Amino acid sequence: MPSEELKIKLIDMVLCFSRALDLLHPEISDHHLRVAYIASCLAEELGLTPAEKQDVLIGGALHDVGAISSPVMTSLFDHALAHYRLGDANSPDDLHKHGEEGYILTRDFPPFAQAASAIRFHHANWDFGRGKEFAGEPIPLASHILHLADRIAVLPDANRNILEQAAEIRKTVGTDSGRQFSPEIVAAFDEISTRESFWLDIACQHKEPIIRSRFGDWEIGLDLETLEQLGKVFGRIIDYRSPFTATHSSGVAATGEALAQRLGIPFTERKLLRVAGYLHDIGKLTVPIEIIEKPGKLTSEEMLIVKQHSYHTHRILSMVPGLETVNIWASLHHERLDGKGYPFRPREIPLGSRIIAVADVFTAITEDRPYRKGMDRVQALNVLDQLVIDRAIDGDIVDALRADFGELLFIRSLSQQPTENSAAEAA
Ligand SMILES: [Fe+2]
Ligand SMILES: [Fe+2]
Ligand SMILES: [Fe+2]
């Protein structure tokens, strides 16, 4: 499949990841997509260019990625929501911290550069114009748009009709004009919030088509290289959630590609396999962090929840037209050759999925984790060989791994080195 034939749109990848983030916490269901929608409407009303609107949309869709790490996630969202509902003018330090971490997590992908800057300061107050900069750095208008959009997004009470609440919300926002929010952006809100459809769109649970039809006119396609870069950024965010798996997806991506090369798979498929490796555990965003990081044995109920993650990987990635093959390779990584894996139990498991399955086990057992060292060659091959005997994984792929074990171990560990840009380091 030549790269020109990739038909994957940046907006679909962004909306799918935004939806995945919204599966993290019951309190924020729909929060990222809601902020993306509101911020885009504000940007439109303010007369921003299509490129600026696009940056605002991406910024809104991803704005709280820095808040998904385990120690702070739940309390941070509770805190942020309370803070916003109360209209507290002084943003606490932890709110600024997740803006900074979100910036670090997203800035390396060139099409996200402007959105990353907007995310960085999305909790800065306008402070009667002093909020145009922070410590000598200019704060982009897009940050102030996100700031107001975030507030509007959390104010509606889900138990009441949203149209009943419009006047109160307009009043609350107006009270904070100048102090928290730029008066220019509040004026844009006053204008768009006269329309019932604006409020009904906010309340609608199926926002992707609304956002796509109103703001998806920038149909930027991804080539193989940018898809790989984007997969890497998303993989890093997925991993960043927990130090237990801090670089796991990068390891699976690199090992999957290296195994594919040794099995004679052509270049394009190898690169797509790498993308599948970055995204294979995206469904884990639906598993509560207390379960992911539980020190002891999981109960059978918790185990059932963990086992659902590859189903969710499939559901999330199926939102992206053109990503079908990557989706199959990613979401069948817990299937077994004897049909006793989960959750689809297909009769045939495609080679790409079997490679990701081996790369996943190899990475999981050889990587160091905070609570244990990774296995050495003998131990790891014992585990893998037993899985082949049990008809769980593909013996030919394990043989390819065995033939070049040292090199694959090196590739895996190199891909998992923290980089100077890693947010985990900055945190
Ligand atoms: Fe935030
Ligand atoms: Fe937020
Ligand atoms: Fe998994």
Side-chain angles (χ1 to χ4, degrees), residues 195-211:
R195 298 174 207 139
E196 287 81 1
S197 63
F198 170 75
W199 296 102
L200 296 171
D201 282 345
I202 291 177
C204 177
Q205 287 298 312
H206 305 283
K207 267 187 208 50
E208 291 92 336
I210 299 173
I211 294 175

Side-chain angles (χ1 to χ4, degrees), residues 11-289:
I11 189 168
D12 290 323
M13 290 293 285
V14 168
L15 293 179
C16 126
F17 200 76
S18 191
R19 174 61 77 188
L21 291 171
D22 284 345
L23 297 169
L24 269 167
H25 190 296
E27 268 281 5
I28 60 158
S29 78
D30 213 33
H31 178 67
H32 285 88
L33 286 167
R34 205 178 254 207
V35 172
Y37 171 76
I38 298 167
S40 304
C41 293
L42 291 170
E44 187 172 66
E45 185 62 28
L46 288 161
L48 301 196
T49 66
E52 290 166 333
K53 259 197 290 179
Q54 172 190 321
D55 294 333
V56 166
L57 172 49
I58 295 171
L62 305 176
H63 71 279
D64 277 335
V65 286
I68 65 171
S69 67
S70 57
V72 288
M73 199 260 301
T74 310
S75 64
L76 183 69
F77 277 119
D78 291 344
H79 191 159
L81 294 173
H83 166 81
Y84 268 122
R85 285 180 183 139
L86 292 170
D88 182 354
N90 298 311
S91 298
D93 285 351
D94 54 358
L95 289 183
H96 285 301
K97 188 166 173 275
H98 80 263
E100 186 67 24
E101 288 174 18
Y103 164 67
I104 294 166
L105 282 163
T106 50
R107 67 181 173 184
D108 291 343
F109 181 54
F112 286 177
Q114 300 305 320
S117 300
I119 290 170
R120 185 177 195 179
F121 298 113
H122 76 269
H123 285 288
N125 290 319
W126 181 250
D127 197 12
F128 304 100
R130 285 184 285 274
K132 282 185 187 161
E133 59 169 61
F134 177 76
E137 288 238 29
I139 295 185
L141 174 69
S143 296
H144 289 291
I145 294 175
L146 294 186
H147 188 42
L148 177 56
D150 204 13
R151 177 76 185 279
I152 299 164
V154 299
L155 283 174
D157 176 348
N159 299 314
R160 291 170 56 204
N161 187 316
I162 195 154
L163 294 176
E164 249 175 42
Q165 305 174 63
E168 291 159 43
I169 296 172
R170 281 162 59 96
K171 194 161 160 238
T172 307
V173 167
T175 312
D176 287 329
S177 178
R179 191 172 59 118
Q180 283 204 62
F181 307 119
S182 151
E184 184 195 1
I185 305 171
V186 172
F189 169 63
D190 280 339
E191 189 59 39
I192 59 179
S193 62
T194 55
R195 298 174 207 139
E196 287 81 1
S197 63
F198 170 75
W199 296 102
L200 296 171
D201 282 345
I202 291 177
C204 177
Q205 287 298 312
H206 305 283
K207 267 187 208 50
E208 291 92 336
I210 299 173
I211 294 175
R212 236 191 159 287
S213 67
R214 284 204 52 186
F215 305 109
D217 47 355
W218 43 284
E219 295 264 321
I220 301 171
L222 296 170
D223 60 21
L224 200 53
E225 198 184 331
T226 47
L227 178 65
E228 185 188 334
Q229 289 171 348
L230 181 58
K232 187 172 184 178
V233 168
F234 285 168
R236 200 199 283 170
I237 297 169
I238 296 162
D239 290 346
Y240 168 71
R241 193 170 169 222
S242 168
F244 282 42
T245 53
T247 53
H248 175 73
S249 304
S250 299
V252 176
T255 314
E257 183 185 357
L259 280 171
Q261 187 174 17
R262 280 148 186 81
L263 292 160
I265 291 174
F267 179 82
T268 302
E269 277 77 8
R270 293 201 309 258
K271 290 292 170 192
L272 292 175
L273 258 169
R274 190 177 185 100
V275 175
Y278 286 130
L279 299 176
H280 76 288
D281 272 344
I282 192 171
K284 273 210 179 141
L285 293 174
T286 65
V287 180
I289 198 73

